[in-house]
Amino acid sequence: MDIAELWPPFRIRVACGPLDMRVMRDSDFPEALAVAHSGVHAPGRLPFYVPWTEATGTDLERSFLQYHWGERAALSPERWSLDLGVWHEGRFVGVQGVSTRDFPVTRTGETGSWLGQEFHGRGIGTLMRQAICVLCFDHLGFEEVTSAAFSDNPESLGVSRKVGYRADGQVRYARSGALATNIRLVLAPEDLVRPPYDVSVEGADAFVELVQPRAT
Ligand SMILES: CC(C)(COP(=O)(O)OP(=O)(O)OC[C@H]1O[C@@H](n2cnc3c(N)ncnc32)[C@H](O)[C@@H]1OP(=O)(O)O)[C@@H](O)C(=O)NCCC(=O)NCCS
């Protein structure tokens, strides 16, 4: 029996033009870590709530593995996340995720993403965000998708603008001990700027059954 028969998230596959996206398996982690090690952003920038890219060497590797294993282990209808590895023309380039709380009631979730620095600025971040929004709205039953980025992250804010999100306030954050403004964004299904390619999705039904069990 393949592990994907036992664990429905492993069945999700999203294809969109040059992109293939799927939940990473353990065998994908070395390739993902090689890209993370090569750099995700310029030194000194702090784009994430948890500054995981500040770590180096085995510290980065262990925190990366434990984060992904932890999210997998904690999955429940009340709290789940999907972290899709992203391959561009067959090459691993980064991760596009979405995380939720009380999804059967709230029908919302926040996207988060990163790309190896060498892959920035080519439209890949926009395309992978568009693709996960199609997965969320057309296949997983989302009624909205949110995003957030610090005010000094114009790349992430640029992606959100291009994909159709609208501003939804801002929050003051203590980021590594200093004040930072976190810009909140929200996307309604009718505002989604769809990608210029068809999006093909496999495996969504089994995942929906796992995280939205029907009342018996
Ligand atoms: C955020 C991220 C995924 C975006 O991916 P990307 O492939 O570089 O983004 P794209 O090329 O699709 O588009 C970025 C948009 O922002 C715009 N942008 C980039 N830098 C900008 C700047 N300094 N000022 C204004 N706009 C900017 C780009 O011009 C582009 O819009 P355009 O196509 O209309 O020109 C990538 O930059 C990344 O991994 N950053 C580090 C991790 C991170 O910040 N993750 C998000 C945490 S919230």
Coordinates of all heavy atoms in Angstrom, one line a residue, residues 67-144:
Y67 N 9.0 21.6 12.1 CA 7.8 22.4 11.7 C 6.9 21.5 10.8 O 5.7 21.4 11.1 CB 8.2 23.7 11.0 CG 7.0 24.3 10.4 CD1 6.1 25.0 11.1 CD2 6.8 24.2 9.0 CE1 5.0 25.6 10.5 CE2 5.7 24.7 8.4 CZ 4.8 25.4 9.2 OH 3.6 25.9 8.6
H68 N 7.5 21.0 9.7 CA 6.6 20.2 8.8 C 6.1 19.0 9.4 O 4.9 18.6 9.2 CB 7.4 19.9 7.5 CG 7.5 21.2 6.7 ND1 6.5 21.7 5.9 CD2 8.6 22.0 6.5 CE1 6.9 22.8 5.3 NE2 8.2 23.0 5.6
W69 N 6.8 18.2 10.2 CA 6.3 17.0 10.9 C 5.2 17.4 11.9 O 4.2 16.8 12.0 CB 7.4 16.3 11.5 CG 8.3 15.5 10.6 CD1 8.0 15.0 9.4 CD2 9.7 15.2 10.8 NE1 9.1 14.4 8.8 CE2 10.1 14.5 9.6 CE3 10.6 15.5 11.8 CZ2 11.5 14.0 9.5 CZ3 11.9 15.0 11.7 CH2 12.3 14.3 10.5
G70 N 5.5 18.6 12.6 CA 4.5 19.0 13.6 C 3.2 19.4 13.0 O 2.1 19.0 13.5
E71 N 3.2 20.1 11.8 CA 1.9 20.5 11.2 C 1.2 19.2 10.7 O 0.0 19.2 10.8 CB 2.2 21.4 10.0 CG 2.7 22.8 10.3 CD 1.6 23.5 11.2 OE1 0.6 23.8 10.6 OE2 1.9 23.8 12.3
R72 N 1.9 18.3 10.2 CA 1.3 17.0 9.7 C 0.7 16.3 10.9 O -0.5 15.9 10.8 CB 2.5 16.2 9.2 CG 2.1 15.2 8.1 CD 3.3 14.3 7.9 NE 4.2 14.7 6.8 CZ 5.3 14.1 6.6 NH1 5.8 13.2 7.3 NH2 6.1 14.5 5.5
A73 N 1.4 16.2 12.0 CA 0.9 15.5 13.2 C -0.3 16.2 13.8 O -1.2 15.5 14.4 CB 2.0 15.3 14.2
A74 N -0.4 17.5 13.7 CA -1.4 18.2 14.4 C -2.7 18.4 13.6 O -3.7 19.0 14.1 CB -0.9 19.6 14.8
L75 N -2.7 17.9 12.4 CA -3.9 18.1 11.5 C -5.2 17.6 12.1 O -5.2 16.4 12.6 CB -3.6 17.4 10.2 CG -4.6 17.6 9.1 CD1 -4.0 17.7 7.7 CD2 -5.6 16.5 9.1
S76 N -6.2 18.4 12.1 CA -7.5 18.0 12.6 C -8.5 19.0 12.0 O -8.1 20.0 11.4 CB -7.6 18.1 14.1 OG -7.7 19.5 14.5
P77 N -9.8 18.6 12.0 CA -10.8 19.6 11.4 C -10.7 20.9 12.1 O -10.9 22.0 11.4 CB -12.1 18.9 11.7 CG -11.8 17.5 11.8 CD -10.5 17.4 12.4
E78 N -10.3 21.0 13.3 CA -10.3 22.3 14.0 C -9.0 23.1 13.7 O -9.0 24.3 13.9 CB -10.2 22.1 15.6 CG -11.5 21.5 16.1 CD -11.8 20.0 15.8 OE1 -10.8 19.3 15.7 OE2 -12.9 19.6 15.5
R79 N -8.0 22.4 13.2 CA -6.7 23.1 12.9 C -6.0 22.3 11.9 O -5.5 21.2 12.2 CB -5.9 23.2 14.2 CG -4.5 23.8 14.1 CD -3.7 23.3 15.3 NE -2.4 23.9 15.3 CZ -1.4 23.6 14.4 NH1 -1.6 22.7 13.5 NH2 -0.2 24.2 14.5
W80 N -5.9 22.9 10.7 CA -5.1 22.1 9.7 C -4.4 23.1 8.8 O -4.8 24.3 8.6 CB -5.9 21.2 8.9 CG -7.1 21.7 8.1 CD1 -8.4 21.6 8.5 CD2 -7.1 22.3 6.8 NE1 -9.2 22.2 7.5 CE2 -8.4 22.6 6.4 CE3 -6.1 22.6 5.9 CZ2 -8.8 23.2 5.2 CZ3 -6.4 23.2 4.7 CH2 -7.7 23.5 4.3
S81 N -3.3 22.6 8.2 CA -2.6 23.4 7.2 C -2.1 22.5 6.1 O -1.9 21.3 6.3 CB -1.4 24.2 7.9 OG -0.4 23.2 8.3
L82 N -2.0 23.1 5.0 CA -1.4 22.4 3.8 C -0.2 23.1 3.4 O -0.3 24.3 3.1 CB -2.4 22.4 2.7 CG -3.5 21.3 2.6 CD1 -4.3 21.6 1.3 CD2 -2.9 19.9 2.5
D83 N 1.0 22.5 3.4 CA 2.2 23.1 2.8 C 2.6 22.4 1.6 O 3.0 21.3 1.6 CB 3.3 23.1 3.9 CG 3.1 24.1 5.0 OD1 3.0 25.3 4.6 OD2 3.2 23.7 6.1
L84 N 2.3 23.1 0.5 CA 2.6 22.4 -0.8 C 4.0 22.8 -1.3 O 4.3 24.0 -1.5 CB 1.6 22.9 -1.9 CG 0.1 22.6 -1.5 CD1 -0.8 23.2 -2.6 CD2 -0.2 21.1 -1.3
G85 N 4.8 21.8 -1.5 CA 6.1 22.1 -2.2 C 5.8 22.5 -3.7 O 4.8 22.1 -4.3
V86 N 6.6 23.4 -4.2 CA 6.3 23.9 -5.5 C 7.5 23.6 -6.4 O 8.7 23.9 -6.1 CB 6.1 25.5 -5.5 CG1 5.9 26.0 -6.9 CG2 5.0 25.9 -4.6
W87 N 7.2 22.9 -7.5 CA 8.2 22.6 -8.6 C 7.9 23.4 -9.8 O 6.8 23.4 -10.3 CB 8.2 21.1 -8.9 CG 8.8 20.3 -7.8 CD1 10.1 19.7 -7.8 CD2 8.3 19.8 -6.6 NE1 10.4 19.0 -6.7 CE2 9.2 19.1 -5.9 CE3 7.0 20.0 -6.0 CZ2 9.0 18.5 -4.7 CZ3 6.8 19.4 -4.7 CH2 7.8 18.7 -4.1
H88 N 8.9 24.1 -10.3 CA 8.8 25.0 -11.5 C 9.6 24.3 -12.6 O 10.8 24.2 -12.5 CB 9.3 26.4 -11.3 CG 9.2 27.3 -12.4 ND1 10.2 27.6 -13.3 CD2 8.1 28.0 -12.9 CE1 9.9 28.4 -14.2 NE2 8.6 28.7 -14.0
E89 N 8.9 23.9 -13.7 CA 9.5 23.1 -14.7 C 10.4 22.0 -14.2 O 11.5 21.8 -14.6 CB 10.3 24.0 -15.6 CG 9.4 25.0 -16.4 CD 10.1 26.0 -17.2 OE1 11.3 26.2 -17.0 OE2 9.4 26.7 -18.0
G90 N 9.9 21.3 -13.1 CA 10.5 20.1 -12.6 C 11.5 20.4 -11.5 O 12.1 19.5 -10.9
R91 N 11.8 21.7 -11.2 CA 12.8 22.0 -10.2 C 12.1 22.6 -9.0 O 11.3 23.5 -9.1 CB 13.7 23.1 -10.8 CG 14.9 23.4 -10.1 CD 15.9 24.2 -10.9 NE 17.0 24.6 -10.0 CZ 17.8 25.6 -10.2 NH1 17.6 26.4 -11.3 NH2 18.7 25.9 -9.3
F92 N 12.5 22.1 -7.8 CA 11.9 22.6 -6.6 C 12.3 24.1 -6.4 O 13.5 24.4 -6.4 CB 12.4 21.8 -5.3 CG 11.8 22.2 -4.1 CD1 10.6 21.7 -3.6 CD2 12.3 23.3 -3.3 CE1 10.0 22.1 -2.4 CE2 11.7 23.8 -2.2 CZ 10.6 23.2 -1.7
V93 N 11.3 24.9 -6.1 CA 11.6 26.4 -6.0 C 11.2 26.9 -4.6 O 11.7 28.0 -4.2 CB 11.0 27.2 -7.1 CG1 11.7 26.9 -8.4 CG2 9.5 27.0 -7.2
G94 N 10.2 26.3 -3.9 CA 9.7 26.9 -2.7 C 8.5 26.2 -2.2 O 8.1 25.1 -2.6
V95 N 7.8 26.9 -1.3 CA 6.6 26.3 -0.6 C 5.4 27.3 -0.7 O 5.7 28.5 -0.4 CB 6.9 25.9 0.8 CG1 5.7 25.5 1.6 CG2 8.0 24.8 0.9
Q96 N 4.3 26.8 -0.9 CA 3.0 27.6 -0.9 C 2.1 26.9 0.1 O 1.7 25.8 -0.2 CB 2.4 27.8 -2.2 CG 1.1 28.5 -2.2 CD 1.2 30.0 -1.8 OE1 1.8 30.8 -2.5 NE2 0.6 30.3 -0.6
G97 N 1.7 27.6 1.2 CA 0.8 26.9 2.2 C -0.4 27.7 2.4 O -0.6 28.9 2.0
V98 N -1.3 27.0 3.2 CA -2.5 27.7 3.7 C -2.8 27.1 5.0 O -2.6 25.9 5.2 CB -3.7 27.6 2.7 CG1 -4.1 26.2 2.5 CG2 -4.9 28.4 3.3
S99 N -3.2 27.9 6.1 CA -3.5 27.3 7.4 C -4.8 27.8 7.9 O -5.2 29.0 7.6 CB -2.3 27.6 8.3 OG -2.3 28.9 8.7
T100 N -5.5 27.0 8.6 CA -6.8 27.3 9.0 C -7.1 27.0 10.5 O -6.3 26.2 11.1 CB -7.9 26.4 8.3 OG1 -7.7 25.1 8.8 CG2 -7.6 26.4 6.8
R101 N -8.1 27.6 11.0 CA -8.6 27.3 12.4 C -10.1 27.1 12.3 O -10.8 28.0 11.7 CB -8.3 28.5 13.4 CG -6.9 28.7 13.7 CD -6.4 27.6 14.7 NE -5.0 27.9 15.0 CZ -3.9 27.5 14.3 NH1 -4.1 26.9 13.1 NH2 -2.7 27.8 14.7
D102 N -10.7 26.1 12.9 CA -12.1 25.8 12.9 C -12.7 25.9 11.5 O -13.8 26.5 11.3 CB -12.8 26.8 13.9 CG -12.3 26.6 15.3 OD1 -12.2 25.5 15.8 OD2 -12.0 27.7 16.0
F103 N -12.1 25.4 10.6 CA -12.5 25.5 9.2 C -13.9 25.2 8.9 O -14.6 25.9 8.1 CB -11.5 24.8 8.2 CG -11.8 25.0 6.8 CD1 -11.5 26.2 6.2 CD2 -12.5 24.1 6.1 CE1 -11.9 26.5 4.9 CE2 -12.9 24.3 4.8 CZ -12.6 25.5 4.2
P104 N -14.5 24.1 9.4 CA -15.8 23.7 9.1 C -16.8 24.9 9.4 O -17.9 25.0 8.7 CB -16.1 22.5 9.9 CG -14.8 21.9 10.2 CD -13.8 23.0 10.3
V105 N -16.5 25.7 10.3 CA -17.3 26.9 10.6 C -16.8 28.2 9.9 O -17.6 28.9 9.3 CB -17.4 27.1 12.2 CG1 -18.2 28.4 12.5 CG2 -17.9 25.9 12.9
T106 N -15.5 28.4 10.0 CA -15.0 29.7 9.5 C -14.9 29.8 8.0 O -14.9 30.9 7.4 CB -13.7 30.0 10.2 OG1 -12.7 29.1 9.7 CG2 -13.7 30.0 11.7
R107 N -14.5 28.7 7.4 CA -14.3 28.7 5.9 C -13.3 29.7 5.4 O -13.5 30.3 4.4 CB -15.7 28.9 5.2 CG -16.7 27.9 5.5 CD -16.7 26.8 4.6 NE -17.4 25.6 5.1 CZ -17.4 24.4 4.6 NH1 -16.6 24.2 3.5 NH2 -18.1 23.4 5.1
T108 N -12.3 29.9 6.3 CA -11.3 30.9 5.9 C -9.9 30.3 6.2 O -9.8 29.3 7.0 CB -11.5 32.2 6.6 OG1 -10.5 33.2 6.1 CG2 -11.3 32.1 8.1
G109 N -8.8 30.8 5.7 CA -7.5 30.4 6.0 C -6.5 31.4 5.4 O -6.8 32.1 4.5
E110 N -5.3 31.4 6.0 CA -4.3 32.4 5.7 C -3.2 31.7 4.8 O -2.7 30.6 5.2 CB -3.6 33.0 6.9 CG -2.6 34.0 6.6 CD -2.2 34.9 7.8 OE1 -3.1 35.2 8.6 OE2 -1.0 35.2 7.9
T111 N -2.9 32.3 3.7 CA -1.8 31.7 2.9 C -0.4 32.2 3.4 O -0.3 33.3 4.0 CB -2.0 32.1 1.4 OG1 -2.2 33.6 1.3 CG2 -3.2 31.4 0.8
G112 N 0.6 31.5 3.1 CA 1.9 31.8 3.4 C 2.9 31.2 2.4 O 2.5 30.1 1.9
S113 N 4.0 31.8 2.1 CA 4.8 31.2 1.0 C 6.3 31.7 1.1 O 6.6 32.7 1.8 CB 4.3 31.6 -0.4 OG 4.3 33.0 -0.5
W114 N 7.1 30.9 0.5 CA 8.5 31.4 0.3 C 9.1 30.7 -1.0 O 8.6 29.6 -1.4 CB 9.4 31.1 1.5 CG 9.6 29.6 1.9 CD1 8.8 28.9 2.7 CD2 10.6 28.7 1.3 NE1 9.3 27.6 2.8 CE2 10.4 27.5 2.0 CE3 11.6 28.8 0.4 CZ2 11.2 26.4 1.7 CZ3 12.4 27.7 0.1 CH2 12.2 26.5 0.8
L115 N 10.0 31.4 -1.6 CA 10.7 30.9 -2.8 C 12.2 31.1 -2.5 O 12.6 32.1 -1.9 CB 10.4 31.7 -4.0 CG 9.0 31.5 -4.6 CD1 8.8 32.6 -5.7 CD2 8.9 30.2 -5.3
G116 N 13.0 30.2 -3.0 CA 14.5 30.4 -3.0 C 14.8 31.7 -3.7 O 14.1 32.1 -4.7
Q117 N 15.7 32.5 -3.2 CA 15.9 33.9 -3.7 C 16.2 33.9 -5.2 O 15.8 34.8 -5.8 CB 17.1 34.5 -2.9 CG 17.0 36.0 -2.8 CD 18.1 36.6 -1.9 OE1 18.8 35.8 -1.2 NE2 18.3 37.8 -2.0
E118 N 16.9 32.9 -5.7 CA 17.2 32.9 -7.1 C 16.0 32.8 -8.0 O 16.1 33.1 -9.2 CB 18.2 31.7 -7.4 CG 17.6 30.4 -7.2 CD 18.6 29.2 -7.4 OE1 19.1 29.1 -8.6 OE2 18.9 28.5 -6.5
F119 N 14.8 32.4 -7.4 CA 13.6 32.3 -8.2 C 12.6 33.5 -8.0 O 11.5 33.5 -8.5 CB 12.9 31.0 -7.8 CG 13.8 29.8 -7.9 CD1 14.2 29.1 -6.7 CD2 14.2 29.3 -9.1 CE1 15.0 28.0 -6.8 CE2 15.1 28.2 -9.2 CZ 15.5 27.5 -8.0
H120 N 13.1 34.5 -7.2 CA 12.2 35.6 -7.0 C 12.1 36.5 -8.3 O 13.0 36.4 -9.2 CB 12.8 36.6 -6.0 CG 12.8 36.0 -4.6 ND1 13.0 36.8 -3.5 CD2 12.5 34.8 -4.1 CE1 12.9 36.0 -2.4 NE2 12.6 34.8 -2.7
G121 N 11.0 37.2 -8.4 CA 10.9 38.3 -9.4 C 10.6 37.8 -10.8 O 10.7 38.5 -11.8
R122 N 10.1 36.5 -10.9 CA 9.8 35.9 -12.2 C 8.3 35.6 -12.4 O 7.9 34.8 -13.3 CB 10.6 34.6 -12.5 CG 12.0 34.7 -12.4 CD 12.6 33.4 -12.9 NE 13.8 33.0 -12.3 CZ 14.3 31.8 -12.4 NH1 13.6 30.8 -13.0 NH2 15.4 31.5 -11.9
G123 N 7.5 36.1 -11.4 CA 6.1 35.8 -11.4 C 5.7 34.4 -10.8 O 4.5 34.1 -10.8
I124 N 6.7 33.7 -10.3 CA 6.3 32.4 -9.7 C 5.5 32.5 -8.5 O 4.5 31.8 -8.2 CB 7.6 31.5 -9.5 CG1 8.4 31.3 -10.8 CG2 7.3 30.2 -8.8 CD1 9.8 30.6 -10.6
G125 N 5.9 33.5 -7.6 CA 5.1 33.7 -6.4 C 3.7 34.1 -6.7 O 2.8 33.6 -6.0
T126 N 3.4 34.8 -7.7 CA 2.0 35.2 -8.1 C 1.3 33.9 -8.6 O 0.2 33.7 -8.1 CB 2.0 36.3 -9.2 OG1 2.7 37.4 -8.7 CG2 0.6 36.6 -9.6
L127 N 1.9 33.2 -9.4 CA 1.3 32.0 -10.0 C 1.0 30.9 -8.9 O -0.1 30.4 -8.9 CB 2.2 31.4 -11.1 CG 1.6 30.4 -12.0 CD1 0.3 30.9 -12.7 CD2 2.6 29.9 -13.1
M128 N 1.9 30.7 -8.0 CA 1.6 29.7 -7.0 C 0.5 30.1 -6.0 O -0.3 29.3 -5.5 CB 2.9 29.2 -6.3 CG 3.6 30.2 -5.4 SD 5.3 29.6 -5.1 CE 5.6 30.6 -3.5
R129 N 0.5 31.5 -5.7 CA -0.6 32.0 -4.9 C -2.0 31.8 -5.6 O -3.0 31.4 -5.0 CB -0.4 33.4 -4.5 CG -1.4 34.0 -3.5 CD -0.9 33.8 -2.1 NE 0.1 34.8 -1.8 CZ -0.1 36.1 -1.4 NH1 -1.3 36.5 -1.3 NH2 0.9 36.9 -1.2
Q130 N -2.0 32.2 -6.9 CA -3.2 32.0 -7.7 C -3.7 30.5 -7.7 O -4.9 30.2 -7.5 CB -3.0 32.5 -9.1 CG -2.9 34.0 -9.3 CD -2.5 34.4 -10.7 OE1 -1.6 33.8 -11.3 NE2 -3.2 35.3 -11.2
A131 N -2.7 29.6 -7.8 CA -3.1 28.2 -7.9 C -3.6 27.7 -6.6 O -4.6 27.0 -6.6 CB -1.8 27.4 -8.3
I132 N -3.1 28.1 -5.4 CA -3.6 27.6 -4.2 C -5.0 28.3 -3.9 O -5.8 27.6 -3.3 CB -2.6 27.8 -3.0 CG1 -3.0 26.8 -1.9 CG2 -2.6 29.2 -2.4 CD1 -1.9 26.6 -0.8
C133 N -5.2 29.5 -4.3 CA -6.5 30.1 -4.2 C -7.6 29.3 -5.0 O -8.7 29.2 -4.5 CB -6.5 31.6 -4.5 SG -5.6 32.6 -3.3
V134 N -7.2 28.9 -6.2 CA -8.1 28.1 -7.0 C -8.4 26.8 -6.2 O -9.6 26.3 -6.1 CB -7.6 27.8 -8.4 CG1 -8.4 26.7 -9.1 CG2 -7.5 29.1 -9.2
L135 N -7.4 26.1 -5.7 CA -7.6 24.9 -4.9 C -8.6 25.2 -3.7 O -9.5 24.5 -3.5 CB -6.3 24.4 -4.3 CG -6.3 23.3 -3.3 CD1 -6.8 22.0 -4.0 CD2 -5.0 23.1 -2.6
C136 N -8.3 26.3 -3.0 CA -9.2 26.6 -1.8 C -10.6 26.9 -2.2 O -11.5 26.4 -1.6 CB -8.6 27.8 -1.1 SG -7.0 27.5 -0.3
F137 N -10.8 27.8 -3.2 CA -12.2 28.2 -3.5 C -12.9 27.1 -4.3 O -14.1 26.9 -4.1 CB -12.1 29.5 -4.3 CG -11.8 30.7 -3.5 CD1 -10.9 31.6 -4.0 CD2 -12.4 31.0 -2.3 CE1 -10.6 32.8 -3.3 CE2 -12.1 32.1 -1.6 CZ -11.2 33.0 -2.1
D138 N -12.3 26.5 -5.3 CA -13.0 25.6 -6.2 C -13.1 24.2 -5.7 O -14.0 23.4 -6.1 CB -12.4 25.6 -7.6 CG -12.4 26.9 -8.3 OD1 -13.0 27.9 -7.7 OD2 -11.9 27.0 -9.4
H139 N -12.2 23.8 -4.8 CA -12.1 22.4 -4.4 C -12.2 22.1 -2.9 O -12.5 21.0 -2.5 CB -10.8 21.8 -4.9 CG -10.7 21.9 -6.4 ND1 -11.2 20.9 -7.2 CD2 -10.2 22.8 -7.2 CE1 -11.0 21.3 -8.5 NE2 -10.4 22.4 -8.5
L140 N -11.9 23.1 -2.0 CA -11.9 22.8 -0.6 C -13.0 23.6 0.2 O -13.1 23.4 1.4 CB -10.5 23.2 0.0 CG -9.3 22.4 -0.6 CD1 -8.0 22.9 0.1 CD2 -9.5 20.9 -0.5
G141 N -13.8 24.3 -0.5 CA -14.9 25.0 0.2 C -14.6 26.2 1.0 O -15.4 26.6 1.9
F142 N -13.6 26.9 0.6 CA -13.3 28.2 1.3 C -14.3 29.3 0.8 O -14.7 29.3 -0.3 CB -11.9 28.7 0.9 CG -10.8 28.1 1.7 CD1 -10.5 26.7 1.6 CD2 -9.9 28.9 2.5 CE1 -9.5 26.1 2.3 CE2 -8.9 28.3 3.2 CZ -8.7 26.9 3.1
E143 N -14.6 30.2 1.8 CA -15.5 31.4 1.4 C -14.6 32.6 1.4 O -15.1 33.7 0.9 CB -16.6 31.5 2.4 CG -17.6 30.3 2.3 CD -18.7 30.3 3.3 OE1 -18.7 31.2 4.2 OE2 -19.5 29.4 3.2
E144 N -13.4 32.6 1.9 CA -12.5 33.7 1.8 C -11.1 33.1 2.0 O -10.9 32.1 2.6 CB -12.7 34.9 2.7 CG -12.5 34.5 4.2 CD -12.5 35.7 5.1 OE1 -13.2 36.7 4.9 OE2 -11.8 35.7 6.2

